[in-house]
Amino acid sequence: MTDLVAPNNRILIADDDPTMRKVMRAALEKDGYHVVDVENGALATEAFSDLVPAVVLLDVEMPVLDGFAACRQIRDLPNGRSVPIVIVTGREDVDAVNSAYDAGATDFLTKPINWPIFSHRIRYIMRAGSDYQRLRQSEAKNEALLRAMPDTFVILSPEGEIVDYLPGKLHHMLPHPSRDNISLQEFLPRRVAYVWQVSNNAALRTGKLQRLDFSLEGDDNEIFSYEARFVPYVDDRILVSVSEITERKKAEQQIHRLAYYDSLTGLPNRQYFREQLARMIKEAESVDGKIAILYVDLDNFKRINDTLGHTFGDGVLQAIAKRLKGCIRNTLSESTESHGPLGLARLGGDEFVAAIEGVEDEDVLASVAERIRKRLREPVSYIGHEFVVTPSIGIAMYPQDGEDAEDLLKHADVAMYQAKGAGRDSVRFYSGTMSVRSLARLHLETELRQAVANDDLELHYQPKFDLSTGQLSGVEALLRWQHADGGFIPPDQFITMAEETGLILPIGEWVLKTACHQAHAWQSRFERDLCVAVNISSQQFYQSDLRKTIMKSLFEAALKPNLLQLELTESILMRDINDTIATLDYLKEIGVTIAIDDFGTGYSSLSYLKRFPLDLLKIDRSFVNEITLRNDDAAICSAIIAMAHQLGLLVIAEGVETNAQVEFLRGQGCDQVQGYLFGKPVPADEFEVRFLAESAEIIDFKSAG
Ligand code: C2E
Ligand code: MG
Ligand code: MG
């Protein structure tokens, strides 16, 4: 920017003494100045406006208008303030000097004049004048700039006292200091005063600009946001410019909400949760803190969406999110004295996750999870519909189950899958061996699905014999998976998984159908009533329409119902007594017989069995195994046989492998036997040859084995 007054070399002199004027003019012109001289103050005032000199020299005593008065008048003229005016006084008295300054003079010279240095003196006065001029301009400019800004400016002392205050326009909330040197503590709320002082100190220490965002609460609890910049100034003072950024903050928050929150439930989303968890981990790292991750997935939620529509599903998710929120908070505050912050988020779909800080007691976490289960399980009502949503919950803990957010989430997820596998509506803690197993399981599950689709399942048949006659009394159908690798995978390795994944339903149906067809085929080919026993898993019993499936299998195979026996485990009986009795009554009515498999491994007492319409009791292999070796097993076996008979049930021993076992069982009055001693499970054609054809083996119990 250029200066408003161009540098010039014009000098205006007013003196009533012509000699004096002459000498001055000569001295100055010699040094290249352009001089205009007049003989009184009035003329000087007149000449000033045309000339706009670089300096004015005024004699004190002049006719018409003296030096002091002329000085005053010139100061009032345009440009009159910026030009140095020097009063030349003949008297060296303090009064004249004071009067000169009072009149607005810049400096004074005394007569007699020291001519050798006169011109130099004038040059210095001119230079100081233009420096002053520049300074004034720059100050004016700064002031204008400050005024042009809406910000409020505060100048702080190093101790945080307000030295100067320039109020801005937009600061509804920022208080006005009531007086100078008021301290920050008096000026601002405590919390804000503190951070101001911290920023002030940092600016002083580093000499660099510091920024600070802070907020103040308005009358109606409205929040105003501000940005303060602390700029080092002179003399250890700090200039603070404060601008209001309420609107910007709101916009930022809106953007943040859109990017970090799930619009359906209002919960943080996966992205936000990850970042939050990473932060929590960082903090926990330094203080040895613990964090637990609860991964909550709703069971069969897809079904709600598929059958009732997405709008409906959304409503359910909102209701669930709300429950989850309340439930975690309440449970935590009840079960622990103190706990850190917690984060709840929706990861997407029907998956939610909570991070709980500061709780490491597994029992507490289990109770939190248990409460979530109970709370979610309460029926949800939504536009006239009411139904139950259950969760599967996986728990992983920092640091033992994962040291970063990624790992923790993954492992909580794995544990959640484990919970699902355990029949849903349950809770599992992550354990290190899980991943490997889960992966293997996942692989197996895929293969099993393919096996079902490709018809790679097969039934093998194991004979059962009447212990008193030695006659073939029946056959048990046992499932085999002919794996692509060539081998058979035994059912123990895949039945549980088939149950967990629901695959057991189509598999079970297939087993029933195949076994019924086989029994019918043997019946018509060999004209023998051979009862086929089929194992039924509890999922099949409760989740499918078992009666319908059985009727259909019998009907399609044209098999007499009394040639079908169902092997149930004790756990099925224990689950829902009235339901079970109803189903069993129905089956019994049509002629199907019921056996209790693996008896002795469950918890049911014999008297409990009285309530069910059963036909046969199968003593578990584990007891039979050791009856000749362990007295207690022998005692259990004989007790089971005796009491079963009292209840009118037949007894069969499974897993019979030695003659000694046969002898013992016969001694106790056991009715039937099954085991490798008489025949392993074999494919249907082999079974035919060995046990049904005319050439079939005759089992001589005395010499068997
Ligand atoms: P389970 O019903 O108790 O079947 C008896 C198991 O004992 C069969 O094993 C059989 O091969 C085995 N076994 C029979 N005699 C002996 C013996 O003398 N010694 C020994 N060590 N074992 C003997 P498998 O075929 O591996 O079946 C295991 C289990 O898988 C069955 O136990 C049953 O619970 C289940 N399973 C088999 N097929 C099916 C099916 O179609 N549906 C369902 N739901 N479960 C099935
Ligand atoms: Mg069985
Ligand atoms: Mg068994």
Side-chain angles (χ1 to χ4, degrees), residues 476 478 535 567 597-598 618 654:
E476 180 175 5
L478 292 157
N535 293 283
E567 292 196 4
D597 205 353
D598 306 336
K618 241 182 166 179
E654 66 175 2

Side-chain angles (χ1 to χ4, degrees), residues 71-82:
C71 181
R72 275 195 195 87
Q73 286 192 6
I74 291 173
R75 283 292 183 227
D76 285 341
L77 293 174
N79 296 322
R81 300 200 70 79
S82 55

